[in-house]
Amino acid sequence: MAEEEAGGTSPRAAFAKGDSVRVPRYGVGSVASADAVCVTIEFADGSQRCFQPQFVRPVLARRASRAAQRLVTGRASQR
């Protein structure tokens, strides 16, 4: 709120809809929506969960394609 009062603009979301992301404990998913407070992620099973942005990490393009392939084939990450 301090940023809104000082600068007159609201903080921007760090993620965009459709971005491939990873969350510890939950794994890889796709951003359904995002703002400065909550990143809602949809996982392969169709579930959606909201996370604070500092817990969400972008998946690099190379890793994203491998992660997407695992989601399609049903093989979970062994990490």
Side-chain angles (χ1 to χ4, degrees):
M1 218 187 259
E3 286 183 350
E4 289 179 355
E5 293 171 9
T9 61
S10 60
R12 290 192 48 190
F15 299 96
K17 184 174 182 174
D19 286 353
S20 292
V21 294
R22 176 180 297 278
V23 180
R25 186 175 179 194
Y26 293 96
V28 175
S30 177
V31 175
S33 64
D35 59 33
V37 178
C38 174
V39 180
T40 302
I41 301 171
E42 183 169 349
F43 295 97
D45 65 358
S47 65
Q48 290 189 353
R49 296 184 71 95
C50 182
F51 298 92
Q52 294 177 351
Q54 67 262 29
F55 296 110
V56 180
R57 299 288 177 250
V59 175
L60 301 176
R62 189 166 156 202
R63 287 184 182 168
S65 64
R66 279 191 261 154
Q69 185 177 18
R70 281 194 301 268
L71 290 173
V72 169
T73 61
R75 287 185 278 147
S77 175
Q78 299 298 320
R79 293 185 205 195

